[in-house]
Amino acid sequence: MPGAVDLVGARLLETFSDTEQKMEDFDKSDNHGDHQNDTSFSGTEQRVEDGNESELEDGGDDNRNGDHNDDVNIPATMGYYNLSCPFEMNKYSCAAMQDNESGEQVTAASMQYYQQHLSEIWRAFDSVFNDQINPQQKPKRIFMTGDSLLRQVFISIACNAFSLNAVERSEVQWRKKWPCPKGIAKCAITGGVHSGFDAASVRFTNGMEIHYVPHRGFAYGNRSRGEPDVLQRMKKQVDDSGQIDFGTKTAFPPSGPMDVLVYELGAHHNPRKSREMLNSFASDIAMPLMRSKSEQGQKIVYMTTPTSHFNTTDGQHLSGKMGDEQKQCVDRVARNPRAELEKQILKAGVNVDVLLDYDDLELGALHVHKGDCLHYCMPGAVDLVGARLLESF
């Protein structure tokens, strides 16, 4: 018997005739002579290129808008669900991974959150892609570097733009092998499209580009194939020239110099190491760039690490083995110690231009669950943050 989430998904998918047609346009061809699985899109044509490599509801007009959607005229095609977007990773699509009633409830909660905030998300995309473009203002080229949490934000922006037919070109370095998360019974995608990727690039129809590269190398034994330490490379560039660039690991070459740096430290370091890296980012990279830049200088955006909602004293994942009860996500926590540290060291207008906070202490119900109380289901909480990031550019 279908559950509530199936009805939500069915209504949303009714709006995806254009998107589904785009997904059917996949064909395969070799790329660059390596072993990478790159997914490239140009206009409405997509191709999956083999290579070596690396890691709403829409119930009609009356139901289109959620509790916070006012009377915004949201395009019928906007949205993604259950791997309808070619940038989605299987492990973050709770609709694709759900295998019991609890999974359905998590998916439904995330979809409801997305629906309730869809008007704000749409306004951000509308302001970037549809508003009158100033001919004097050149399209921005953005470099996003961080861990898998920032990769989720890249996926969100790319997926929402794709549903609006705003993607001109993209390349995703899908890995041939990407292991399923532990504790996930329903996981049939272990490589290729929708499995996992390290670097990815997208160019939108307005000329804007976003390039995502992990800041600490590629995952699962492929760290050396990526950039082992983006911060160290940028520090050296600041020392040598006073400017930073994209490096050499983007999925496709940027069309010009970097305009915006988006950085997120993420959740892989202990407090001492986190403080050390944040201080280095602030003093060796961000502050010198802030001091020296002109109107055309590089903009520095820092995104705080989202809140963990593990069943521990502060919601954080504990080093070593955690018990089953501790792996259960709680709905809310009192504080996010990682974000507190980041906001203690980084100040908007002082050593970064923008400090973007998840503000998600009470969103524990929207996580992937199944032992993951850090990453959010997609679509969901990430999409609102992604829209606000897009506006900051």
Side-chain angles (χ1 to χ4, degrees), residues 265-309:
L265 178 60
H268 291 277
H269 307 287
N270 61 35
R272 182 190 62 79
K273 182 63 174 177
S274 296
R275 181 179 292 275
E276 176 186 314
M277 293 178 68
L278 287 167
N279 280 325
S280 176
F281 172 71
S283 62
D284 300 331
I285 300 169
M287 183 64 91
L289 291 175
M290 291 283 289
R291 285 173 179 162
S292 64
K293 72 182 183 181
S294 62
E295 289 186 11
Q296 286 74 39
Q298 291 157 329
K299 188 173 187 176
I300 312 297
V301 179
Y302 188 85
M303 176 164 285
T304 63
T305 301
T307 301
S308 295
H309 289 86

Side-chain angles (χ1 to χ4, degrees), residues 112-131:
Q112 182 181 36
Y113 183 92
Y114 181 61
Q115 168 70 15
Q116 288 175 339
H117 294 88
L118 197 57
S119 65
E120 182 177 346
I121 297 169
W122 158 243
R123 278 193 291 262
F125 280 80
D126 185 42
S127 68
V128 172
F129 295 114
N130 295 331
D131 276 4

Side-chain angles (χ1 to χ4, degrees), residues 318-329:
L318 302 178
S319 60
K321 188 173 182 179
M322 292 175 61
D324 291 340
E325 186 175 342
Q326 292 173 313
K327 293 179 182 177
Q328 300 299 313
C329 305

Side-chain angles (χ1 to χ4, degrees), residues 3-6 93-111 183-184 327-331 364-373 377:
V5 70
D6 299 293
S93 175
C94 291
M97 302 293 278
Q98 66 188 23
D99 54 8
N100 54 36
E101 185 177 352
S102 175
E104 285 193 359
Q105 291 172 350
V106 170
T107 304
S110 298
M111 289 298 298
I184 303 295
K327 293 179 182 177
Q328 300 299 313
C329 305
V330 297
D331 287 349
L366 307 185
H367 286 295
V368 172
H369 286 67
K370 301 180 186 296
D372 185 351
C373 303
C377 291

Side-chain angles (χ1 to χ4, degrees), residues 6 11 14 25 30 76 82 103-105 123 151 161 176 182 192 198 207 218 221 277-278 311 346 350 359 373 390:
D6 299 293
R11 292 194 196 109
E14 286 176 2
D25 289 339
D30 291 334
N82 197 12
E104 285 193 359
Q105 291 172 350
R123 278 193 291 262
R151 180 176 57 201
K176 276 197 163 185
K182 294 179 180 179
D198 292 296
F218 289 176
M277 293 178 68
L278 287 167
N311 190 17
L346 301 170
V350 178
D359 190 21
C373 303
L390 190 66

Side-chain angles (χ1 to χ4, degrees), residues 183-198:
I184 303 295
K186 188 179 178 183
C187 180
I189 302 176
T190 58
V193 177
H194 296 310
S195 63
F197 65 85
D198 292 296

